[in-house]
Amino acid sequence: TVCIQRSDFLVQMNAYPNAYWLEAIQNYLGQMVAVQQEGNRVQQGILAAICPDYIVLDVCQTPFYIRIDKIVSIMPFLKK
């Protein structure tokens, strides 16, 4: 599985079925985000990787894998 990580080059997004989410969230790589999933569950962490069918959040150095088709919204934490 090819994942996009912070240090990787931009890959061809049109080849993936979740191209909208992949393109929309690529600017959040390496940033703290809140991910709302189906059922009003919210997970906060650093967006560590974006894969064709899931994302990886780093929560206290523990990876959390979230399927893209279960994501309702993603909000970045703004620095003040």
Side-chain angles (χ1 to χ4, degrees), residues 57-64:
L57 289 185
D58 180 358
V59 181
C60 297
Q61 298 182 345
T62 302
F64 278 77

